[in-house]
């Protein structure tokens, strides 16, 4: 037995073991904590941030003060309008005077204590009370005064009072308020216009008052450096100045005589001077805009009186000359650069408006000839204006229309010297000169023949420039000329011939090449009509255009080559459209177009056109057969099948790896299938016999040369023809047999197939492999 220690010794051992276990446990817990810290690092949780206020203290203060001021002003207004009549004169004066004085005096101690926002709110209430005082004074003691005149005087008095009040507060406290000065400037907008209305000066006086007020605003805006005063002054200057300028322009436009026009011109010059002063604005955009406005207003002012003296059609030329005159100031070195640029833009704006005044005449000159397309060869008109106004009215006052674009074109050519803008200016000048030239004949009422000559000369000059814009203008002119020439047969033939020759000379470029083809096509059609040919008989003559295009295209370069070919194709379509009513002629035209396409396909880069040539030949043959009332399908199929088989044979010779389906499939299908369909419903024996013989030959050829397409197509057609020929006998046999015989025969057949199933599968697989090895 194990000796047990004494109790005291055992207690000591137990305590020691427990102490060791506690130390080990503490060590393991520390290790466990370190391991956890490595696996999941402890991140300190940030302290909760205090909620962000949605409104700052100054903002809350301003809102409260504004709300309080508004409420006080509303209360004072309600008192003045509702409770005013319940008090006597002394009571009224005492109440309003006391409240107004208190409100105006309160900002002084508030400013000294640093309560600026509160002082601004109380001062606003005081200023509003002064307006109520003015109203109350008129309602109580000055009821006989004219309301408009009293409003003008009250506005002037309030403006002066508010301005003085702001200065006084600044001197007393050393801390000026923001509100009094802008409020005084707002009130100062009313005295002069209201006084003009009250004095009965009429529209001229009112507009003058607006412009003078705007001038004062502009002076204030230019002299102050910033803040609410400058903002109010600038807004007042632009609003009142713009209003006054528009009203002055309306007065100048509706002036009945030179005197009224002169007064309106003075107002416009005042507005121009005001805008010119605004060109000193610190912002470049505002300065430039003011300079442009000054130039336009000056032109309107100087042209006001001549407009009432000269005929109405000279209004645009006079203003145009004045606008061109602004360019003399653009090169004046003494003027600021922004002013010179603004005057240049103003001159451009006036010139643009002048050109727009000529657009109605130009539009009628270009669109009026369209009506001759419905009245071909109905007779030459008397003059150019009669030619273009057959369906459209002549615009009033169009006598000076050609002058306007011509002057602007001269300005562009002589003024624009910058290399970057020179090319654009020249293009614009060509457009303007062209507009003047097109509109000149109807304006001058030139004779019909002279008009055509002018347009021919214009087309030739533009075409000789060899630039894109003049070339496009020449094309438009030639179209207008062609439409005008439709009025007379000799004119049509002569003009179309000249246009065709002129465009053909320049056919090395894309646009002239297409235009030459179009005019040549029109010439051919017109020639046929002049010779009393039927439209279908004119079609071969039209084909001369695609022939010429096909001959010229190889010599052309770049984009001109495809453009020429497309133009020739369009001419060919026109020829086909002319011949569509005559089947024999349509067949001839199709064949001729096919010859042209085949000639184009000779070129190495146009080989795909050969497919179109083949289609055209086939279509020509079919149309010819239809014209002969041929109903035999082989006559339509064989002209397609034989060339297709020849092409397939050539391809197989060049590429032995080509599939027989690709090489011979289309030709064999075209040769066999239409005849098969015809033979299936043919009661005679000749077609099935010939078709079966042909199919047998095709099948043998396919088996001999190991070709899939002949073998499958020929064998299928041969089987179907044989079935069709044996069908009557099969029907007779089926009718002679007893009714139980067919089911019995079917059962025997199924038994035989089942007994030799595997052998049949091997046979089918062997046939499939054999066909698969064929090409």
């Amino acid at each position: 037995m194990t000796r047990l220690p004494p109790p005291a010794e055992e207690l000591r051992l137990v305590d020691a073991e427990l102490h060791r276990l506690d130390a080990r446990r503490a060590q393991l817990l520390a290790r466990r904590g370190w391991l956890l810290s490595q696996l999941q690092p402890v991140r300190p949780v940030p302290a909760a941030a205090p909620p962000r206020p949605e409104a700052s203290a100054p903002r809350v203060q301003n809102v409260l003060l504004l709300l309080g001021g508004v409420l006080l002003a509303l209360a004072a207004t309600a008192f003045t309008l509702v409770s005013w009549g319940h008090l006597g004169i002394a009571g009224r004066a005492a109440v309003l005077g006391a409240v107004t004085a208190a409100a105006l005096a309160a900002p002084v101690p508030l400013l000294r204590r640093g309560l600026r926002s509160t002082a601004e709110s109380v001062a606003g209430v005081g200023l509003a009370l002064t307006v109520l005082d003015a109203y109350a004074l008129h309602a109580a003691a000055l009821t006989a005064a004219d309301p408009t005149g009293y409003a003008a005087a009250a506005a002037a008095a309030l403006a002066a009072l508010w301005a003085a009040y702001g200065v006084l507060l600044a001197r007393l406290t050393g801390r000026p308020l923001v509100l009094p000065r802008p409020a005084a400037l707002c009130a100062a907008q009313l005295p002069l216009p209201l006084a003009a209305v009250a004095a009965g000066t009429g529209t001229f006086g009112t507009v003058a008052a607006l412009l003078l007020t705007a001038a004062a605003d502009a002076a204030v805006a230019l002299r102050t450096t910033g803040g609410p005063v400058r903002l109010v002054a600038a807004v007042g200057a632009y609003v009142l100045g713009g209003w006054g300028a528009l009203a002055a322009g309306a007065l100048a436009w509706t002036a009945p005589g030179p005197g009224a026009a002169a007064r309106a011109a003075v107002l416009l010059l005042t507005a121009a001077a005001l805008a010119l002063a605004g060109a000193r604005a610190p912002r470049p955009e505002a300065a430039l805009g003011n300079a442009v406005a000054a130039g336009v207003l000056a032109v309107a002012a100087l042209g006001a009186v001549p407009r009432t003296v000269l005929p109405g059609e000279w209004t645009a030329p006079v203003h145009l000359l004045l606008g061109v005159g602004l360019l003399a100031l653009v090169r004046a070195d003494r003027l600021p650069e922004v002013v010179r640029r603004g005057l240049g833009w103003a001159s451009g704006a006036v010139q643009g408006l002048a050109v727009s005044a000529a657009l109605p005449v130009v539009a009628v000159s270009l669109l009026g000839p369209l009506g001759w397309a419905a009245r071909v060869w109905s007779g030459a008109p008397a003059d150019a204006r009669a030619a273009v106004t057959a369906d459209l009215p002549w615009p009033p006052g169009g006598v000076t229309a050609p002058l306007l674009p011509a002057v602007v074109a001269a300005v562009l050519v002589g003024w624009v010297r910058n290399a970057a803008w020179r090319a654009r200016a020249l293009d614009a000048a060509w457009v303007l000169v062209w507009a003047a030239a097109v509109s000149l004949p109807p304006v001058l009422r030139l004779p019909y023949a002279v008009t055509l000559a002018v347009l021919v000369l214009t087309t030739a000059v533009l075409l000789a420039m060899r630039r894109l814009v003049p070339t496009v203008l020449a094309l438009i002119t030639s179209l207008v000329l062609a439409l005008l020439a439709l009025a007379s047969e000799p004119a049509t033939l002569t003009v179309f011939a000249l246009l065709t020759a002129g465009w053909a000379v320049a056919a090395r470029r894309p646009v002239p090449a297409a235009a030459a083809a179009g005019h040549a096509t029109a010439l051919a059609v017109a020639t046929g009509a002049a010779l009393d040919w039927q439209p279908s008989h004119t079609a071969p003559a039209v084909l001369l255009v695609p022939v010429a295009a096909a001959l010229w295209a190889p010599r052309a370069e770049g984009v001109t080559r495809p453009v020429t070919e497309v133009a020739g194709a369009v001419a060919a379509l026109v020829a086909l459209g002319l011949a569509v009513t005559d089947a024999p002629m349509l067949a001839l035209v199709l064949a001729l177009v096919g010859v042209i396409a085949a000639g184009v396909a000779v070129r190495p880069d146009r080989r795909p056109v050969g497919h179109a040539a083949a289609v055209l030949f086939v279509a020509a043959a079919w149309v010819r057969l239809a014209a002969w009332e041929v109903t035999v399908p082989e006559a339509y199929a064989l002209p397609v099948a034989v060339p297709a088989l020849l092409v397939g044979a050539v391809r197989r010779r060049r590429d032995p790896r080509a599939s027989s389906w690709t090489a011979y499939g289309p030709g064999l299908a075209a040769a066999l299938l239409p005849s098969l369909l015809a033979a299936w419903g043919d009661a005679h024996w000749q077609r099935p016999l010939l078709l079966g013989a042909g199919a047998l030959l095709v099948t043998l050829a396919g088996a001999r040369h190991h070709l899939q397409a002949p073998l499958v197509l020929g064998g299928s057609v041969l089987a179907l023809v044989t079935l069709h020929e044996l069908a009557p006998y099969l029907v007779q046999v089926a009718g002679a047999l007893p009714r139980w015989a067919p089911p019995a025969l079917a059962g025997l057949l199924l038994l035989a197939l089942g007994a030799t199933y595997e052998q049949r599968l091997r046979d089918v697989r062997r046939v499939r492999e054999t066909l698969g090895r064929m090409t």
Side-chain angles (χ1 to χ4, degrees), residues 149-181:
Y150 178 80
L158 289 175
L161 176 62
W162 292 349
Y165 175 68
V167 175
L168 179 62
L169 282 181
R171 290 183 178 180
L172 292 177
T173 62
R175 299 176 179 178
L177 291 178
V178 176
L179 183 60
R181 294 177 64 194

Side-chain angles (χ1 to χ4, degrees), residues 209-238:
L210 289 174
L211 294 176
L212 290 177
T213 305
D217 290 332
V220 173
L222 293 174
R223 289 181 177 275
T224 54
T225 57
V229 174
R230 184 175 186 177
L231 178 61
V232 172
V235 172
Y238 280 112

Side-chain angles (χ1 to χ4, degrees), residues 125-486:
V125 174
L127 298 181
L129 289 175
T130 57
V131 178
L132 295 177
D133 290 338
Y135 169 77
L137 180 62
H138 179 268
L142 301 175
T143 54
D146 177 54
T148 306
Y150 178 80
L158 289 175
L161 176 62
W162 292 349
Y165 175 68
V167 175
L168 179 62
L169 282 181
R171 290 183 178 180
L172 292 177
T173 62
R175 299 176 179 178
L177 291 178
V178 176
L179 183 60
R181 294 177 64 194
L185 191 57
C186 289
Q189 309 299 310
L190 302 177
L192 285 180
L194 292 178
V197 173
T201 57
T203 307
F204 286 96
T206 304
V207 174
L210 289 174
L211 294 176
L212 290 177
T213 305
D217 290 332
V220 173
L222 293 174
R223 289 181 177 275
T224 54
T225 57
V229 174
R230 184 175 186 177
L231 178 61
V232 172
V235 172
Y238 280 112
V239 173
L240 297 183
W243 188 11
L246 291 177
L251 290 174
W253 188 257
T254 58
R263 291 194 298 272
V266 172
L267 296 177
L268 286 172
L269 288 176
T270 304
L274 178 60
L276 188 61
R280 295 166 49 193
R283 296 184 60 182
E285 299 85 359
L288 181 61
N290 288 327
V292 174
V296 174
L297 290 173
V299 171
L302 296 177
V305 175
R307 191 194 67 81
T308 60
V309 177
L310 298 174
E313 57 266 18
W314 288 97
T315 299
V318 168
H319 286 82
L320 175 59
L321 294 178
L322 293 173
V324 174
L326 288 178
L327 295 176
L329 300 176
V330 175
R331 293 181 177 177
D333 296 334
R334 292 177 296 178
L335 294 177
E337 194 272 339
V338 66
V339 173
R340 289 188 282 116
R341 284 197 299 119
L343 294 179
W345 282 106
S347 177
V350 173
Q351 295 178 52
L353 291 174
V355 170
S356 65
L359 290 181
V361 175
V362 176
V364 171
S365 302
L366 294 177
L367 301 179
L370 289 174
W372 291 105
R375 297 187 298 272
V376 178
W377 297 352
S378 59
D383 54 35
R385 185 174 298 185
V388 300
T389 57
D391 298 313
L392 296 177
W394 181 252
V399 176
T400 59
L403 179 63
L404 302 175
V407 172
V408 177
V411 172
L412 288 174
V413 174
W415 183 261
V416 180
R417 298 296 182 184
N418 191 328
W421 290 89
R422 182 67 177 174
R424 300 178 184 177
L426 291 178
D427 290 339
W430 275 114
V431 174
L432 294 172
V433 171
W434 167 78
V438 169
S439 60
L440 185 62
V443 168
L444 298 181
R445 291 180 176 270
L446 295 179
Y448 177 69
V450 177
T451 301
L452 297 181
V454 170
L455 293 179
V456 168
L457 181 61
T458 302
T459 304
V461 172
L462 292 172
L463 191 58
M465 295 307 299
R466 296 181 177 273
R467 295 179 58 185
L468 179 59
V469 172
T471 301
V472 174
L473 296 177
L475 178 61
I476 299 174
T477 308
S478 65
L479 294 177
V480 174
L481 175 60
L483 290 171
L484 283 176
L486 294 177

Side-chain angles (χ1 to χ4, degrees), residues 15 64 146 187 241 362 394 503 557 574 584 664 669:
D15 290 338
L64 294 177
D146 177 54
V362 176
W394 181 252
W503 286 105
E557 298 178 355
V574 173
Y664 303 116

Side-chain angles (χ1 to χ4, degrees), residues 496-516:
F496 282 10
L498 291 175
L499 291 177
T500 301
W503 286 105
V505 170
R508 291 189 177 276
R509 290 173 287 158
V511 175

Side-chain angles (χ1 to χ4, degrees), residues 521-567:
T521 303
L523 176 61
V525 174
T527 303
L531 296 175
D532 292 331
W533 289 353
Q534 295 294 328
S536 58
H537 294 170
T538 307
V542 175
L543 290 182
L544 294 175
V545 178
V547 170
L551 295 175
W552 174 251
R555 297 174 176 82
E557 298 178 355
V559 184
T560 307
R561 179 177 299 177
V563 169
T564 303
E565 294 171 343
V566 171

